[in-house]
Amino acid sequence: MNKIIIIYFLFSLIFFSCKEENDKNIIASYKGEQLTSSEIKAMLPNGLSPEDSTKLVKEFIENWAINKIILETSREELDKNVLLEIEQKVENYKNDLLVDEIELQWLAQDSVMNPSEKELLDYYEKNKANFLAEDDFVEFRFAEVPSSKAYITRKLMQENTPRARIKLDTLMKNNLYKAEIKPQQWLKFSQLVQLTPLPDNAPKAIYLKKQIFNLPHQGNYFLLQITNFAKKGEPKPFVLVKNQIQSMLINKRKLNLLTDKKNKLYEKALYNDEIKIK
């Protein structure tokens, strides 16, 4: 490294002086390559002690110099075909970045509208076969209440009218009971068994009858109602695949927008006789 000029005495000038500095101060050099004070400052985290700053800067300069030497060595010793291949890869990567950037700008300028609920439902109905359940799924409601509230809770769950749902929600919130009583609460049946007092070997056939089951649990009553289910191999409920469908349709619209932009540019170039095809 005898060709490397490292000016360590500038450390104190750079990092501890209160005077304004010139960002083009050269701290180290290797042949035609130069390392400036501004580059070093940019990599230093805040809050370091003078000792830690000096140590970190010293390591940075040494690593910088080693990398420069290795790069020069690679250019001298690697086969020319390998170097050409690397240059081509770099060029391709740069081109990909440019294309990605302009596509992001196009998408920002022409925002893609989110599909409506009707569009999502229509797509779901036409493509149910693509959303088959890999397990048994159940829609459920439950409430864990003391025995004194078990009767009224069960009655409101059975009634399941808008008025009953409001009263049930108020009862749960006012008494801070553990409950999930909102509609469209779906889980795999195996997950439901893990999260509730259902026995591990709970027979699915019994619990898929949309009844309300009273399960004693730690001095309370755990009222569980299966309101709907989708068996393994059947289409998943819409609510479980809604977000997936939305992402698919948005991505499709983005792709269509970008394809349209590219086609217009191509047609314009053809019209202006800028493309020559033999």
CSV table of all heavy atoms in Angstrom, one decimal, residues 97-135:
chain,number,residue,atom,x,y,z
A,97,LEU,N,-33.2,-0.9,-14.0
A,97,LEU,CA,-33.5,0.1,-13.0
A,97,LEU,C,-34.2,1.3,-13.7
A,97,LEU,O,-35.2,1.8,-13.1
A,97,LEU,CB,-32.2,0.6,-12.3
A,97,LEU,CG,-31.6,-0.4,-11.3
A,97,LEU,CD1,-30.3,0.2,-10.8
A,97,LEU,CD2,-32.5,-0.7,-10.2
A,98,LEU,N,-33.7,1.7,-14.8
A,98,LEU,CA,-34.3,2.8,-15.5
A,98,LEU,C,-35.8,2.5,-16.0
A,98,LEU,O,-36.7,3.3,-15.8
A,98,LEU,CB,-33.5,3.2,-16.8
A,98,LEU,CG,-32.1,3.8,-16.5
A,98,LEU,CD1,-31.3,3.9,-17.8
A,98,LEU,CD2,-32.3,5.2,-15.9
A,99,VAL,N,-36.0,1.3,-16.5
A,99,VAL,CA,-37.3,0.9,-16.9
A,99,VAL,C,-38.2,0.8,-15.7
A,99,VAL,O,-39.4,1.3,-15.7
A,99,VAL,CB,-37.3,-0.5,-17.6
A,99,VAL,CG1,-38.7,-1.0,-17.8
A,99,VAL,CG2,-36.6,-0.4,-18.9
A,100,ASP,N,-37.7,0.2,-14.6
A,100,ASP,CA,-38.5,0.2,-13.3
A,100,ASP,C,-38.9,1.6,-12.9
A,100,ASP,O,-40.1,1.8,-12.4
A,100,ASP,CB,-37.8,-0.5,-12.2
A,100,ASP,CG,-37.6,-2.0,-12.5
A,100,ASP,OD1,-38.4,-2.6,-13.3
A,100,ASP,OD2,-36.8,-2.7,-11.8
A,101,GLU,N,-38.0,2.5,-13.0
A,101,GLU,CA,-38.3,3.9,-12.5
A,101,GLU,C,-39.3,4.6,-13.3
A,101,GLU,O,-40.2,5.2,-12.8
A,101,GLU,CB,-37.0,4.7,-12.4
A,101,GLU,CG,-37.1,6.0,-11.8
A,101,GLU,CD,-37.5,6.0,-10.3
A,101,GLU,OE1,-37.1,5.0,-9.7
A,101,GLU,OE2,-38.2,6.9,-9.8
A,102,ILE,N,-39.2,4.4,-14.6
A,102,ILE,CA,-40.2,5.1,-15.5
A,102,ILE,C,-41.6,4.5,-15.3
A,102,ILE,O,-42.6,5.1,-15.3
A,102,ILE,CB,-39.8,5.1,-17.0
A,102,ILE,CG1,-40.6,6.1,-17.8
A,102,ILE,CG2,-39.8,3.7,-17.5
A,102,ILE,CD1,-40.6,7.5,-17.3
A,103,GLU,N,-41.6,3.2,-15.1
A,103,GLU,CA,-42.9,2.5,-14.8
A,103,GLU,C,-43.5,3.0,-13.5
A,103,GLU,O,-44.7,3.2,-13.5
A,103,GLU,CB,-42.7,1.0,-14.8
A,103,GLU,CG,-42.4,0.4,-16.2
A,103,GLU,CD,-42.3,-1.1,-16.2
A,103,GLU,OE1,-42.2,-1.7,-15.1
A,103,GLU,OE2,-42.2,-1.7,-17.3
A,104,LEU,N,-42.7,3.2,-12.5
A,104,LEU,CA,-43.2,3.7,-11.3
A,104,LEU,C,-43.8,5.1,-11.5
A,104,LEU,O,-44.8,5.5,-10.9
A,104,LEU,CB,-42.1,3.7,-10.2
A,104,LEU,CG,-41.7,2.4,-9.6
A,104,LEU,CD1,-40.5,2.6,-8.7
A,104,LEU,CD2,-42.8,1.7,-8.8
A,105,GLN,N,-43.1,5.9,-12.3
A,105,GLN,CA,-43.6,7.3,-12.6
A,105,GLN,C,-44.9,7.2,-13.3
A,105,GLN,O,-45.9,8.0,-13.0
A,105,GLN,CB,-42.6,8.0,-13.4
A,105,GLN,CG,-41.4,8.5,-12.5
A,105,GLN,CD,-40.5,9.5,-13.3
A,105,GLN,OE1,-41.0,10.2,-14.1
A,105,GLN,NE2,-39.2,9.5,-12.9
A,106,TRP,N,-45.0,6.3,-14.3
A,106,TRP,CA,-46.3,6.2,-15.0
A,106,TRP,C,-47.4,5.8,-14.1
A,106,TRP,O,-48.5,6.3,-14.2
A,106,TRP,CB,-46.1,5.1,-16.1
A,106,TRP,CG,-45.3,5.5,-17.3
A,106,TRP,CD1,-45.0,6.8,-17.7
A,106,TRP,CD2,-44.7,4.7,-18.3
A,106,TRP,NE1,-44.3,6.8,-18.8
A,106,TRP,CE2,-44.0,5.5,-19.2
A,106,TRP,CE3,-44.6,3.3,-18.4
A,106,TRP,CZ2,-43.3,5.0,-20.3
A,106,TRP,CZ3,-43.9,2.8,-19.5
A,106,TRP,CH2,-43.2,3.6,-20.4
A,107,LEU,N,-47.2,4.8,-13.2
A,107,LEU,CA,-48.2,4.4,-12.3
A,107,LEU,C,-48.6,5.5,-11.3
A,107,LEU,O,-49.8,5.6,-10.9
A,107,LEU,CB,-47.7,3.2,-11.5
A,107,LEU,CG,-47.6,1.9,-12.3
A,107,LEU,CD1,-46.9,0.8,-11.5
A,107,LEU,CD2,-48.9,1.4,-12.8
A,108,ALA,N,-47.6,6.3,-10.9
A,108,ALA,CA,-47.9,7.5,-10.0
A,108,ALA,C,-48.7,8.5,-10.7
A,108,ALA,O,-49.6,9.2,-10.2
A,108,ALA,CB,-46.6,8.1,-9.5
A,109,GLN,N,-48.5,8.7,-12.0
A,109,GLN,CA,-49.2,9.7,-12.8
A,109,GLN,C,-50.6,9.3,-13.1
A,109,GLN,O,-51.6,10.1,-13.2
A,109,GLN,CB,-48.4,10.1,-14.1
A,109,GLN,CG,-47.1,10.7,-13.9
A,109,GLN,CD,-46.2,10.7,-15.1
A,109,GLN,OE1,-46.6,10.2,-16.2
A,109,GLN,NE2,-45.0,11.3,-15.0
A,110,ASP,N,-50.8,8.0,-13.4
A,110,ASP,CA,-52.1,7.5,-13.8
A,110,ASP,C,-52.5,6.4,-12.7
A,110,ASP,O,-52.3,5.2,-12.9
A,110,ASP,CB,-52.1,6.8,-15.2
A,110,ASP,CG,-51.7,7.8,-16.2
A,110,ASP,OD1,-52.5,8.6,-16.6
A,110,ASP,OD2,-50.5,7.8,-16.7
A,111,SER,N,-53.0,6.9,-11.6
A,111,SER,CA,-53.3,6.0,-10.5
A,111,SER,C,-54.3,4.9,-10.9
A,111,SER,O,-55.3,5.3,-11.6
A,111,SER,CB,-53.8,6.7,-9.3
A,111,SER,OG,-54.9,7.5,-9.6
A,112,VAL,N,-54.1,3.7,-10.5
A,112,VAL,CA,-55.0,2.6,-10.8
A,112,VAL,C,-56.2,2.6,-9.8
A,112,VAL,O,-55.9,2.6,-8.6
A,112,VAL,CB,-54.3,1.3,-10.8
A,112,VAL,CG1,-55.3,0.1,-11.0
A,112,VAL,CG2,-53.2,1.3,-11.9
A,113,MET,N,-57.4,2.6,-10.3
A,113,MET,CA,-58.6,2.6,-9.4
A,113,MET,C,-58.7,1.3,-8.7
A,113,MET,O,-58.6,0.2,-9.4
A,113,MET,CB,-59.8,3.0,-10.1
A,113,MET,CG,-59.8,4.4,-10.7
A,113,MET,SD,-59.9,5.7,-9.4
A,113,MET,CE,-61.6,5.4,-8.8
A,114,ASN,N,-59.1,1.3,-7.4
A,114,ASN,CA,-59.4,0.0,-6.7
A,114,ASN,C,-60.7,-0.6,-7.3
A,114,ASN,O,-61.6,0.2,-7.6
A,114,ASN,CB,-59.5,0.2,-5.2
A,114,ASN,CG,-58.2,0.5,-4.6
A,114,ASN,OD1,-57.2,0.1,-5.1
A,114,ASN,ND2,-58.2,1.2,-3.5
A,115,PRO,N,-60.7,-1.9,-7.5
A,115,PRO,CA,-62.0,-2.5,-8.0
A,115,PRO,C,-63.1,-2.3,-6.9
A,115,PRO,O,-62.9,-2.3,-5.7
A,115,PRO,CB,-61.6,-4.0,-8.1
A,115,PRO,CG,-60.4,-4.2,-7.3
A,115,PRO,CD,-59.7,-2.9,-7.2
A,116,SER,N,-64.3,-2.2,-7.4
A,116,SER,CA,-65.5,-2.1,-6.6
A,116,SER,C,-65.8,-3.4,-5.9
A,116,SER,O,-65.3,-4.5,-6.4
A,116,SER,CB,-66.7,-1.6,-7.4
A,116,SER,OG,-67.1,-2.6,-8.3
A,117,GLU,N,-66.7,-3.4,-4.9
A,117,GLU,CA,-67.1,-4.6,-4.3
A,117,GLU,C,-67.8,-5.6,-5.3
A,117,GLU,O,-67.6,-6.8,-5.2
A,117,GLU,CB,-68.1,-4.3,-3.1
A,117,GLU,CG,-68.5,-5.4,-2.2
A,117,GLU,CD,-67.4,-5.8,-1.2
A,117,GLU,OE1,-66.4,-5.0,-1.2
A,117,GLU,OE2,-67.5,-6.8,-0.5
A,118,LYS,N,-68.6,-5.0,-6.2
A,118,LYS,CA,-69.3,-5.8,-7.2
A,118,LYS,C,-68.3,-6.5,-8.1
A,118,LYS,O,-68.5,-7.6,-8.5
A,118,LYS,CB,-70.2,-4.9,-8.0
A,118,LYS,CG,-71.0,-5.7,-9.1
A,118,LYS,CD,-72.0,-4.8,-9.8
A,118,LYS,CE,-72.8,-5.6,-10.8
A,118,LYS,NZ,-72.0,-6.4,-11.7
A,119,GLU,N,-67.2,-5.8,-8.5
A,119,GLU,CA,-66.2,-6.4,-9.4
A,119,GLU,C,-65.5,-7.5,-8.7
A,119,GLU,O,-65.2,-8.6,-9.3
A,119,GLU,CB,-65.2,-5.3,-9.8
A,119,GLU,CG,-65.7,-4.3,-10.8
A,119,GLU,CD,-64.7,-3.2,-11.1
A,119,GLU,OE1,-64.2,-2.6,-10.1
A,119,GLU,OE2,-64.4,-3.0,-12.2
A,120,LEU,N,-65.2,-7.3,-7.4
A,120,LEU,CA,-64.6,-8.4,-6.6
A,120,LEU,C,-65.5,-9.6,-6.5
A,120,LEU,O,-65.0,-10.8,-6.7
A,120,LEU,CB,-64.2,-7.9,-5.2
A,120,LEU,CG,-63.2,-6.7,-5.1
A,120,LEU,CD1,-63.1,-6.3,-3.7
A,120,LEU,CD2,-61.9,-7.2,-5.7
A,121,LEU,N,-66.8,-9.4,-6.2
A,121,LEU,CA,-67.7,-10.5,-6.1
A,121,LEU,C,-67.9,-11.2,-7.5
A,121,LEU,O,-68.0,-12.4,-7.5
A,121,LEU,CB,-69.1,-9.9,-5.6
A,121,LEU,CG,-69.2,-9.8,-4.1
A,121,LEU,CD1,-70.4,-9.0,-3.8
A,121,LEU,CD2,-69.2,-11.1,-3.4
A,122,ASP,N,-68.0,-10.4,-8.5
A,122,ASP,CA,-68.2,-11.0,-9.9
A,122,ASP,C,-67.0,-11.9,-10.2
A,122,ASP,O,-67.1,-13.0,-10.7
A,122,ASP,CB,-68.3,-9.9,-10.9
A,122,ASP,CG,-69.6,-9.2,-10.9
A,122,ASP,OD1,-70.6,-9.8,-10.2
A,122,ASP,OD2,-69.8,-8.1,-11.5
A,123,TYR,N,-65.8,-11.4,-9.9
A,123,TYR,CA,-64.6,-12.2,-10.2
A,123,TYR,C,-64.6,-13.5,-9.3
A,123,TYR,O,-64.3,-14.6,-9.8
A,123,TYR,CB,-63.3,-11.4,-9.9
A,123,TYR,CG,-62.0,-12.1,-10.3
A,123,TYR,CD1,-61.5,-12.0,-11.5
A,123,TYR,CD2,-61.4,-13.0,-9.4
A,123,TYR,CE1,-60.3,-12.7,-11.9
A,123,TYR,CE2,-60.2,-13.7,-9.7
A,123,TYR,CZ,-59.7,-13.5,-11.0
A,123,TYR,OH,-58.6,-14.2,-11.4
A,124,TYR,N,-65.0,-13.4,-8.1
A,124,TYR,CA,-65.1,-14.5,-7.2
A,124,TYR,C,-66.0,-15.6,-7.7
A,124,TYR,O,-65.7,-16.8,-7.8
A,124,TYR,CB,-65.5,-14.1,-5.8
A,124,TYR,CG,-65.8,-15.2,-4.8
A,124,TYR,CD1,-64.8,-16.0,-4.3
A,124,TYR,CD2,-67.1,-15.5,-4.5
A,124,TYR,CE1,-65.1,-17.0,-3.4
A,124,TYR,CE2,-67.4,-16.5,-3.6
A,124,TYR,CZ,-66.4,-17.3,-3.1
A,124,TYR,OH,-66.7,-18.3,-2.2
A,125,GLU,N,-67.2,-15.1,-8.1
A,125,GLU,CA,-68.2,-16.1,-8.6
A,125,GLU,C,-67.8,-16.8,-9.8
A,125,GLU,O,-68.1,-18.0,-10.0
A,125,GLU,CB,-69.5,-15.3,-8.9
A,125,GLU,CG,-70.2,-14.8,-7.6
A,125,GLU,CD,-70.7,-15.8,-6.7
A,125,GLU,OE1,-70.9,-17.0,-7.1
A,125,GLU,OE2,-70.8,-15.6,-5.5
A,126,LYS,N,-67.0,-16.1,-10.7
A,126,LYS,CA,-66.6,-16.7,-11.9
A,126,LYS,C,-65.4,-17.6,-11.8
A,126,LYS,O,-65.1,-18.4,-12.6
A,126,LYS,CB,-66.3,-15.6,-13.0
A,126,LYS,CG,-67.5,-14.8,-13.4
A,126,LYS,CD,-67.1,-13.7,-14.4
A,126,LYS,CE,-68.3,-12.9,-14.8
A,126,LYS,NZ,-67.9,-11.7,-15.7
A,127,ASN,N,-64.7,-17.4,-10.6
A,127,ASN,CA,-63.4,-18.2,-10.5
A,127,ASN,C,-63.3,-18.9,-9.1
A,127,ASN,O,-62.3,-19.1,-8.6
A,127,ASN,CB,-62.2,-17.2,-10.6
A,127,ASN,CG,-62.1,-16.5,-11.9
A,127,ASN,OD1,-61.6,-17.0,-12.8
A,127,ASN,ND2,-62.7,-15.3,-12.0
A,128,LYS,N,-64.5,-19.3,-8.6
A,128,LYS,CA,-64.5,-20.1,-7.4
A,128,LYS,C,-63.6,-21.3,-7.4
A,128,LYS,O,-63.0,-21.6,-6.3
A,128,LYS,CB,-65.9,-20.5,-7.0
A,128,LYS,CG,-66.8,-19.4,-6.5
A,128,LYS,CD,-68.2,-20.0,-6.1
A,128,LYS,CE,-69.0,-18.9,-5.4
A,128,LYS,NZ,-70.3,-19.5,-5.0
A,129,ALA,N,-63.5,-21.9,-8.5
A,129,ALA,CA,-62.7,-23.2,-8.6
A,129,ALA,C,-61.2,-22.9,-8.3
A,129,ALA,O,-60.4,-23.8,-8.0
A,129,ALA,CB,-62.8,-23.8,-9.9
A,130,ASN,N,-60.8,-21.6,-8.4
A,130,ASN,CA,-59.4,-21.3,-8.1
A,130,ASN,C,-59.1,-21.0,-6.6
A,130,ASN,O,-58.0,-20.7,-6.3
A,130,ASN,CB,-59.0,-20.1,-8.9
A,130,ASN,CG,-59.0,-20.3,-10.4
A,130,ASN,OD1,-58.8,-21.5,-10.9
A,130,ASN,ND2,-59.3,-19.3,-11.2
A,131,PHE,N,-60.2,-21.0,-5.8
A,131,PHE,CA,-60.0,-20.6,-4.4
A,131,PHE,C,-60.6,-21.7,-3.5
A,131,PHE,O,-61.4,-21.5,-2.6
A,131,PHE,CB,-60.7,-19.3,-4.1
A,131,PHE,CG,-60.3,-18.2,-5.0
A,131,PHE,CD1,-61.0,-17.7,-6.0
A,131,PHE,CD2,-59.1,-17.6,-4.7
A,131,PHE,CE1,-60.6,-16.7,-6.8
A,131,PHE,CE2,-58.6,-16.5,-5.5
A,131,PHE,CZ,-59.4,-16.1,-6.6
A,132,LEU,N,-60.1,-23.0,-3.7
A,132,LEU,CA,-60.6,-24.1,-2.9
A,132,LEU,C,-59.9,-24.1,-1.6
A,132,LEU,O,-58.7,-23.8,-1.5
A,132,LEU,CB,-60.4,-25.4,-3.7
A,132,LEU,CG,-61.1,-25.5,-5.1
A,132,LEU,CD1,-60.8,-26.9,-5.7
A,132,LEU,CD2,-62.6,-25.2,-5.0
A,133,ALA,N,-60.7,-24.5,-0.6
A,133,ALA,CA,-60.2,-24.5,0.8
A,133,ALA,C,-59.2,-25.7,1.0
A,133,ALA,O,-59.5,-26.8,0.6
A,133,ALA,CB,-61.3,-24.6,1.8
A,134,GLU,N,-58.1,-25.4,1.6
A,134,GLU,CA,-57.1,-26.5,1.8
A,134,GLU,C,-57.4,-27.2,3.2
A,134,GLU,O,-56.7,-28.1,3.5
A,134,GLU,CB,-55.7,-25.9,1.8
A,134,GLU,CG,-55.4,-25.0,3.0
A,134,GLU,CD,-55.9,-23.6,2.9
A,134,GLU,OE1,-56.6,-23.3,1.9
A,134,GLU,OE2,-55.5,-22.7,3.7
A,135,ASP,N,-58.4,-26.7,3.9
A,135,ASP,CA,-58.8,-27.3,5.2
A,135,ASP,C,-60.2,-26.9,5.4
A,135,ASP,O,-60.9,-26.2,4.6
A,135,ASP,CB,-57.9,-26.7,6.3
A,135,ASP,CG,-57.8,-27.6,7.5
A,135,ASP,OD1,-58.7,-28.4,7.7
A,135,ASP,OD2,-56.8,-27.5,8.3
